[in-house]
Amino acid sequence: MAATETQFMLSVGLIEKDVNGDTLWVWCYPSVGSDLRQVLLRKCCLTQDGRDFHTFVFGQFCRTWYYITTVEVQEPTALNKEFVQSDENGSFLIKDYDVRKAYLAGSVKDVVSQFGMETIILYTALMLKKRIVVHHPRIEALLEFTRVLPTLTWHRKDWSILHPYVHLMDIELEDLKKCPGYVAGFVDPEVSNRSDLFDVYVNLPDSVITVSQSAKEAMAMGKLHKEVGHLIVQSAEDADRSDSQVIKDISIKTKEILTNLVALANECEDSKITLEVLKQHHFPPATENFLFHLAAAEQLLRI
């Protein structure tokens, strides 16, 4: 099944692995392009010989979201001309699926529990629209972790940055590189050697976050980062606070930072911030640096 941001559903397809071990597209409606077909064949676990059986995976390619569910046939039987007589087809109503519930799926508290104060690195990278690559050999862990990260910048509600399941194939990497900032998930450990793909690298099994050399200047940490980091950890560690309440706490702090940034912009000609204006306020160096790059990410910087 595939869908873009502007359409609820584009198409539905069926992939089968036959008795000879061949994996084939057997049906789709109304159509699926050849490039997307190849990507979906690569994503479905039927083409991955001897690997784990994945009941559900999702991702996006060329701004089209795809969702793949896999079912094992226990007792294969030949169908008469592919016709199934059944009154149990069920129904699908889009109103039954609130997009806000999808946004809140996954646990930001689990992310903070794993990374503690280093969660501020992820927050900063997302705020500055940097490229985050996450590696885990298990696709289920990858999907669960990556889908949470956009909630750290809730004010944008932008899940188009999420590419949770990417292969190191040229056609997928070319599509990924079209995005100025992203969260991309890989099961292939070889991605750790592809420094051209990331500003921040997350080794999920080992709970290690690495900032690339080229991004260290923009990602320099200071007093403001420490303040936000403590707020994130304190909120997430509160057993009485739900994930949605933690997201709200972070969002309130983010809005405070953005309100101050807009106020600085309003002091300037064309409501665009310059480095000279930031220097006049005598912020600590790391805060000044962060606000400068944040202004660029929020299109509040005069070029």
Side-chain angles (χ1 to χ4, degrees):
M1 179 163 56
T4 64
E5 294 173 14
T6 54
Q7 290 180 277
F8 290 128
M9 190 181 296
L10 288 176
S11 57
V12 179
L14 181 63
I15 301 171
E16 286 184 356
K17 189 167 189 175
D18 65 18
V19 291
N20 300 316
D22 297 322
T23 302
L24 305 166
W25 272 90
V26 295
W27 175 84
C28 68
Y29 178 84
S31 64
V32 177
S34 59
D35 284 350
L36 183 55
R37 280 191 180 213
Q38 291 306 310
V39 168
L40 296 179
L41 278 170
R42 191 155 51 241
K43 303 304 176 188
C44 83
C45 57
L46 300 182
T47 56
Q48 300 166 13
D49 293 334
R51 298 189 185 177
D52 294 337
F53 185 86
H54 308 299
T55 55
F56 180 69
V57 299
F58 65 91
Q60 67 163 316
F61 175 72
C62 289
R63 307 289 287 183
T64 296
W65 285 95
Y66 60 82
Y67 307 86
I68 303 173
T69 184
T70 307
V71 179
E72 195 166 5
V73 179
Q74 299 298 331
E75 297 179 11
T77 54
L79 296 179
N80 183 22
K81 296 182 180 178
E82 290 291 329
F83 179 74
V84 180
Q85 182 90 29
S86 174
D87 295 324
E88 300 179 2
N89 292 328
S91 60
F92 174 82
L93 298 174
I94 197 69
K95 68 179 178 64
D96 293 339
Y97 299 88
D98 188 339
V99 69
R100 290 169 297 181
K101 290 182 179 179
Y103 287 161
L104 289 170
S107 173
V108 69
K109 296 186 79 165
D110 286 349
V111 172
V112 180
S113 174
Q114 182 171 359
F115 288 100
M117 275 295 287
E118 287 205 327
T119 307
I120 190 61
I121 300 174
L122 301 173
Y123 172 86
T124 303
L126 288 158
M127 286 289 283
L128 301 184
K129 297 183 178 178
K130 296 298 183 183
R131 302 166 304 159
I132 302 174
V133 160
V134 183
H135 166 256
H136 197 290
R138 277 200 321 113
I139 182 60
E140 292 83 1
L142 203 57
L143 295 176
E144 184 178 359
F145 181 85
T146 55
R147 72 178 296 169
V148 175
L149 297 190
T151 63
L152 294 174
T153 47
W154 183 257
H155 67 290
R156 293 186 186 133
K157 295 184 180 65
D158 183 8
W159 265 255
S160 70
I161 66 170
L162 180 59
H163 299 256
Y165 187 21
V166 185
H167 281 83
L168 289 171
M169 304 292 289
D170 288 345
I171 191 169
E172 294 187 43
L173 299 182
E174 286 167 14
D175 179 52
L176 185 65
K177 287 179 178 180
K178 292 174 185 175
C179 309
Y182 51 73
V183 175
F186 293 80
V187 293
D188 188 344
E190 180 60 28
V191 71
S192 65
N193 298 319
R194 293 295 304 269
S195 57
D196 59 310
L197 295 177
F198 59 82
D199 301 305
V200 172
Y201 179 76
V202 182
N203 180 330
L204 203 51
D206 295 339
S207 301
V208 174
I209 301 176
T210 306
V211 178
S212 70
Q213 197 62 41
S214 61
K216 282 189 174 177
E217 185 265 333
M219 295 282 295
M221 300 289 156
K223 182 181 177 182
L224 178 61
H225 298 86
K226 189 175 181 180
E227 181 184 324
V228 176
H230 277 303
L231 179 144
I232 292 172
V233 171
Q234 186 175 6
S235 178
E237 288 182 347
D238 187 338
D240 294 329
R241 302 193 76 69
S242 65
D243 279 289
S244 59
Q245 287 172 319
V246 175
I247 291 167
K248 186 175 182 180
D249 289 342
I250 299 169
S251 181
I252 289 171
K253 184 61 181 177
T254 299
K255 285 181 179 177
E256 178 189 312
I257 293 169
L258 292 174
T259 298
N260 292 336
L261 193 67
V262 170
L264 288 172
N266 289 337
E267 295 177 11
C268 308
E269 184 183 345
D270 301 327
S271 295
K272 298 288 186 180
I273 291 173
T274 64
L275 182 58
E276 290 72 25
V277 168
L278 285 174
K279 288 188 177 299
Q280 289 171 12
H281 287 267
H282 303 291
F283 293 115
T287 299
E288 178 189 285
N289 181 60
F290 173 68
L291 293 176
F292 178 79
H293 287 94
L294 181 59
E298 295 290 328
Q299 298 181 322
L300 292 172
L301 187 68
R302 188 187 304 164
I303 306 300

